[in-house]
Amino acid sequence: MADNLFNEFEPVSSKQWKQQIQYELKGADYNETLVWESPEGIKVKPFYHGDEDIPKTENVRTTNGFSILQNIFVHDVKKSNERALDTLNRGAESIRFTIENESVSIEELMRNLPLGDTQYFFYLPFLSIDFVNRINDFASKNNANISLQIDPIGQLVRDGNWFENLDKDFDKLNTIASKTTIPFLNISSGIYQNAGANMVQQLAYTLAHVNEYFNRISNLNQPITIEIAVGTNYFFEIAKLRALRLLFNTLAKEYNHDLNCHIIATPTKRNKTLYDYNVNMLRTTTECMSAILGGADAIANLPYDALYHKDNEFGDRIARNQLLVLKHESYFDKVNNAADGAYYIESLTEQLAEKALLLFKDIEGNIQKKISESATKEQELFDSGKEVLLGTNKYLNKNDKMKHDLELYPFVKQNPRKTLITPIIEKRLAEKLEQERLSQEA
């Protein structure tokens, strides 16, 4: 019936559209006026058309059914257990515990929590075979859906040092791989975005991160978790997540790994601000929308006050409610793969994937330097006002005071120490400007 409705209209080709646009431009150059280039070197056209032979992306996960993930840092086991139960009752659908040491009792932490369908992630910033075995045993005995997040390469990238050293870390990982039935491997790729890498770099370095594990772990038979940070470039970020899954599946096929990756998305910290902090909620909302439409499996939203407040019930509730609104009032989980077939997004996905694959094949030298160069370019755009963060470098509220509200230090922390490599440092765009404003507060 829909086809019959459109039979009355003559089809309009891309050539005809372009001719009409050029006529409307009244002599202005089409490319100079309407085509712009992204930091990744992608030329974005004013329109995309079905007759342009735009490839359709395969291997992209359906977008319905994303999980609302709640982060909980385990300091007090009893309180963490109570908080997990409370957040699950308030709309969270999965929980991620960050555990700092192996003295934590898994049985106490998981007491009375729903098992089976509810997924739990255990982020471990240390490497212990015994502790992993304890979690694996608990999961097996209680039919619990648990995934570990262990990432020695991520430790090296972030800290500059391995947990112990390269050989010992991978010996332990291979032991864990041979004895563990639950997923254990994590790719902490959000650091690349938060440090200022462009999207092609983020994808290529994430792929290299995964490739190193495929090369060094002999029996990798469990699904891999990939953590990714989502920025504010709405359509590009949708395409980035789609390209990530496409690239992962392409690489995994070469190693006969037939399990899909599990993508956890979190809004980036790079564009978040201390002043006019409520704008952070607008930023995280669109970033979560990109993550959903890009096919993330789980989304852990960033509270609007995460930069300067310790974990608090109000900030967590607002962050969780943003996702609940997107899911249950905006129905983002009802449409299966809403970005599928959108010419613009399909084109971006293909170009990001191709450029990232080329960079991955050609990675050499110091990636820290490459990321720093990309971050510097973006910082210059922000400092010149060409990249805008409302309330920070445009439309400032001069009466906004933050000096007495800081519970956390919101800037890059200096920690001089001997390292094997130069660590990749996360840094927000607004830090220098915010430090100047704080110094001028009465």
Side-chain angles (χ1 to χ4, degrees), residues 95-107:
I95 301 290
R96 174 163 53 187
F97 292 114
T98 296
I99 300 176
E100 279 205 310
N101 59 71
E102 51 190 303
S103 66
V104 170
S105 167
I106 302 304
E107 289 75 17

Side-chain angles (χ1 to χ4, degrees), residues 81-255:
N81 170 267
E82 291 171 352
R83 185 178 169 199
L85 194 57
D86 180 60
T87 54
L88 287 170
N89 290 331
R90 290 178 170 218
E93 296 162 331
S94 52
I95 301 290
R96 174 163 53 187
F97 292 114
T98 296
I99 300 176
E100 279 205 310
N101 59 71
E102 51 190 303
S103 66
V104 170
S105 167
I106 302 304
E107 289 75 17
E108 289 298 315
L109 185 61
M110 299 295 291
R111 186 182 299 278
N112 297 324
L113 292 178
L115 303 177
D117 292 336
T118 304
Q119 187 164 19
Y120 298 89
F121 297 89
F122 286 69
Y123 176 77
L124 306 181
F126 60 91
L127 194 52
S128 165
I129 295 173
D130 290 341
F131 193 66
V132 169
N133 287 338
R134 281 164 49 196
I135 298 174
N136 189 66
D137 290 345
F138 177 88
S140 300
K141 291 176 183 175
N142 296 278
N143 193 30
N145 185 358
I146 292 176
S147 294
L148 301 176
Q149 291 187 264
I150 302 171
D151 185 10
I153 295 175
Q155 163 72 13
L156 177 68
V157 166
R158 182 176 57 255
D159 186 70
N161 292 311
W162 298 97
F163 289 117
E164 289 186 68
N165 59 53
L166 186 152
D167 292 334
K168 288 184 179 179
D169 282 9
F170 276 99
D171 283 346
K172 286 184 177 181
L173 270 190
N174 275 287
T175 301
I176 290 169
S178 65
K179 293 184 176 181
T180 305
T181 56
I182 60 176
F184 67 91
L185 193 59
N186 184 62
I187 311 297
S188 304
S189 71
I191 191 169
Y192 305 127
Q193 206 282 345
N194 283 312
N198 65 42
M199 291 189 200
V200 168
Q201 290 172 331
Q202 293 169 46
L203 290 168
Y205 300 154
T206 301
L207 205 60
H209 201 141
V210 175
N211 187 60
E212 197 65 21
Y213 284 127
F214 278 137
N215 274 319
R216 291 182 176 274
I217 301 176
S218 52
N219 295 305
L220 191 49
N221 301 313
Q222 298 93 336
I224 296 173
T225 301
I226 301 179
E227 284 188 86
I228 192 162
V230 181
T232 194
N233 193 341
Y234 188 73
F235 292 108
F236 269 71
E237 290 291 346
I238 295 171
K240 182 179 84 177
L241 265 72
R242 290 160 59 86
L244 173 61
R245 198 176 292 276
L246 175 65
L247 289 167
F248 175 86
N249 289 341
T250 302
L251 180 65
K253 189 177 179 181
E254 296 297 315
Y255 290 92

Side-chain angles (χ1 to χ4, degrees), residues 319-426:
R320 192 167 56 248
N321 285 352
Q322 287 173 258
L323 290 171
L324 287 168
V325 168
L326 290 176
K327 192 165 201 174
H328 298 298
E329 296 185 29
S330 301
Y331 305 113
F332 266 60
D333 66 329
K334 301 301 181 189
V335 179
N336 184 19
N337 220 352
D340 194 22
Y343 303 139
Y344 179 34
I345 296 173
E346 294 283 11
S347 175
L348 291 179
T349 302
E350 182 72 13
Q351 290 183 77
L352 285 172
E354 285 182 355
K355 286 177 176 289
L357 192 57
L358 284 173
L359 180 58
F360 163 69
K361 290 177 179 178
D362 198 35
I363 287 176
E364 58 181 30
N366 193 327
I367 71 168
Q368 293 93 324
K369 183 180 177 183
K370 300 293 185 185
I371 292 175
S372 178
E373 288 170 356
S374 176
T376 299
K377 289 178 184 177
E378 188 182 18
Q379 189 69 54
E380 288 171 355
L381 290 173
F382 174 78
D383 292 343
S384 66
K386 292 179 181 177
E387 182 163 335
V388 173
L389 293 180
L390 290 177
T392 299
N393 67 342
K394 195 164 188 177
Y395 305 123
L396 281 68
N397 177 3
K398 298 290 180 66
N399 297 319
D400 200 0
K401 308 292 183 185
M402 290 299 299
K403 186 181 250 184
H404 301 295
D405 289 328
L406 303 183
E407 296 176 356
L408 301 172
Y409 185 71
F411 308 114
V412 172
K413 298 180 178 69
Q414 301 296 326
N415 181 22
R417 63 196 183 282
K418 186 177 180 181
T419 59
L420 191 64
I421 65 167
T422 302
I424 293 175
I425 305 297
E426 298 181 355

